[in-house]
Amino acid sequence: MAASSRGISRTLLPSPKSRAAIAKRMAAVSGEMTTAAVAEMEVRHPWFSELDAKHRSWITLVAQAGIDGFVHWFSSPEPSPPSTADVFGSAPRELARRISLYQTVELVRTTIEVAEKQIDELMPRSDRPVLQAAIVQYSREVAFTAAEIYARAAELRGAWDARLEALVADAVIRGETDESVLSRASALGWRSSADVVVVVGPEPEDETGVAIEGIRHECAKAGVDMLGAVQGDRLLVVLGGDRIAEPEAALAVVTRFAGIFGPGPVVVGPPVEHLADAARSTRAALSGYRAAVGWPNAPRPVLADDLLPERALSGDGHARRALARTVFGPLADSGSGLLETLVVFLDNNSSVEATARALFVHANTVRYRLKRIQEVTGYSPSDARDAYGLRLALTLGRLLPDGRDSGRG
């Protein structure tokens, strides 16, 4: 008998009459083969003994169906590829939830090895060579069938998870995070109990699912939880974990996957304390995303708070209030001449000497006050970009009552 690496060639098998006779003899001992296979599973695989009676009985049925399927295929009068679709019956869908693909492969391997051994022990010597060659081909087809079943199950689960993730992310972004949403997020692998950041960027040019999985991979390496969803032409990503508690730390994490977004700005919202508060980070990130066109040379990614001037000019009331409260208010309350020094410094083309002459103070006093302004506001008057933000903050501080915006924004 001839055999190849792909199994025995059906054209070289015995005549249909001879195959039918061999198959009949093997069918008579198939029950003993199944019993031996299940017994060997118990010996080899400790986890098999831990299964409940229902799952163990299903595996027994699968093993019996596999052996019976081989007998039926071998006895078929017309050469054809093995059809193993009925080997697993209705069990795989349930079994796939209870045992892994690796465990399934181990069970198939055990069953085939036992069947080969039983052929040598139970079948006549003249039947053994052709049966051993044939079972090689049949076992390969069984393994492919098992892999196909698990692949389909994984695809279905992946599609379901993607839909669920999109729903959860949408609810979080819109501020509709109740206990059911938190529970679903947990089911998707969200473990963070604090520190959340929302990132907004252009929709990826690559296939969306692949892009989101790429971001998830980078987040996993960074030790950060992640949810993602595409809304229109934008991709919104929700990050969680203590590693993004500070804006600069969050920026560093987003830098790892910023290239996955499509062309355009990638804006990182401010950290908030909980997933239920993510809408605040979303609001800032979306506002920054819309206003980023006003700063063409902005870094990528960029913090939403670094876009406060553009956001304020584009009509974001939260940004106007933030500039007035965090810049103008503290300077006005300092009582150390900081506000006056800043105004004069900006009005004199950022010249320290001209500012000193106008205020009748030493140039070193001006330098000290400029340093204090940076410490109080986070903006350096000597930096062109920061000076732009400070100038706008001064204007807003004067326009808004007590440095606050009483109107709607």
Side-chain angles (χ1 to χ4, degrees):
M1 298 302 165
S4 69
S5 60
R6 292 180 55 83
I8 192 168
S9 170
R10 291 297 304 273
T11 60
L12 299 177
L13 286 172
S15 66
K17 183 177 181 180
S18 297
R19 294 200 306 273
I22 295 173
K24 184 176 181 179
R25 289 192 288 273
M26 186 170 179
V29 296
S30 64
E32 296 178 53
M33 290 185 174
T34 301
T35 300
V38 174
E40 186 66 18
M41 292 175 191
E42 293 180 347
V43 173
R44 290 191 188 184
H45 312 300
W47 55 265
F48 179 81
S49 301
E50 298 173 0
L51 295 173
D52 56 37
K54 179 175 69 173
H55 290 92
R56 286 164 58 89
S57 67
W58 276 341
I59 291 175
T60 301
L61 290 175
V62 169
Q64 181 67 62
I67 294 173
D68 290 345
F70 170 71
V71 173
H72 175 75
W73 167 75
F74 184 81
S75 64
S76 177
E78 295 297 330
S80 62
S83 176
T84 57
D86 296 331
V87 170
F88 295 99
S90 61
R93 183 174 298 177
E94 299 293 334
L95 283 177
R97 301 171 184 170
R98 186 64 180 83
I99 66 175
S100 66
L101 176 59
Y102 172 78
Q103 291 170 331
T104 301
V105 171
E106 287 298 302
L107 294 181
V108 171
R109 178 183 290 117
T110 300
T111 301
I112 297 303
E113 289 179 357
V114 170
E116 290 175 339
K117 182 178 180 182
Q118 291 292 302
I119 286 172
D120 286 338
E121 294 179 358
L122 302 178
M123 299 299 293
R125 187 180 299 275
S126 60
D127 296 345
R128 296 172 190 173
V130 66
L131 286 173
Q132 293 287 6
I135 204 169
V136 170
Q137 181 173 352
Y138 186 78
S139 63
R140 185 185 69 245
E141 297 299 330
V142 170
F144 286 160
T145 299
E148 182 180 358
I149 289 169
Y150 275 83
R152 289 177 179 174
E155 288 178 355
L156 290 173
R157 177 60 186 272
W160 170 252
D161 283 353
R163 289 192 294 269
L164 180 60
E165 181 175 9
L167 290 172
V168 170
D170 184 64
V172 169
I173 289 164
R174 288 187 285 109
E176 300 175 0
T177 311
D178 54 19
E179 288 301 322
S180 64
V181 172
L182 294 176
S183 176
R184 291 167 184 163
S186 178
L188 289 168
W190 186 273
R191 298 290 179 265
S192 301
S193 59
D195 300 321
V196 174
V197 162
V198 175
V199 184
V200 180
E203 180 183 8
E205 294 182 311
D206 296 334
E207 198 276 322
T208 300
V210 174
I212 290 179
E213 287 306 309
I215 295 174
R216 196 185 317 281
H217 178 67
E218 291 298 329
C219 289
K221 292 195 295 184
V224 175
D225 288 343
M226 173 261 178
L227 296 170
V230 171
Q231 293 187 338
D233 60 353
R234 302 171 306 201
L235 172 60
L236 283 81
V237 177
V238 184
L239 305 179
D242 54 10
R243 299 194 179 188
I244 57 168
E246 297 298 328
E248 293 302 326
L251 198 65
V253 171
V254 177
T255 300
R256 300 171 67 109
F257 58 80
I260 296 178
F261 288 89
V266 176
V267 182
V268 183
V272 293
E273 294 182 355
H274 193 269
L275 194 61
D277 304 319
R280 290 195 288 114
S281 184
T282 302
R283 184 173 56 237
L286 286 173
S287 173
Y289 182 74
R290 290 189 294 267
V293 65
W295 186 13
N297 295 324
R300 188 176 191 266
V302 60
L303 295 174
D305 285 351
D306 288 344
L307 288 162
L308 281 175
E310 288 74 19
R311 290 167 54 194
L313 291 173
S314 67
D316 184 347
H318 296 282
R320 293 198 301 267
R321 287 188 287 272
L323 282 172
R325 291 172 178 172
T326 62
V327 177
F328 183 86
L331 290 177
D333 294 339
S334 66
S336 303
L338 299 186
L339 182 59
E340 180 186 14
T341 299
L342 176 60
V343 172
V344 175
F345 180 74
L346 295 176
D347 286 345
N348 282 274
N349 300 317
S350 301
S351 169
V352 172
E353 290 73 16
T355 302
R357 289 194 297 270
L359 294 175
F360 302 102
V361 297
H362 195 279
N364 286 341
T365 301
V366 174
R367 293 188 180 94
Y368 169 77
R369 291 179 182 176
L370 294 177
K371 182 179 178 182
R372 285 286 298 139
I373 290 170
Q374 183 175 1
E375 293 172 353
V376 170
T377 67
Y379 290 81
S380 170
S382 301
D383 178 84
R385 169 69 189 176
D386 286 359
Y388 171 62
L390 288 168
R391 174 73 78 177
L392 187 57
L394 291 176
T395 303
L396 290 170
R398 295 188 185 105
L399 292 174
L400 305 181
D402 297 326
R404 296 185 296 273
D405 186 354
S406 58
R408 297 173 61 184

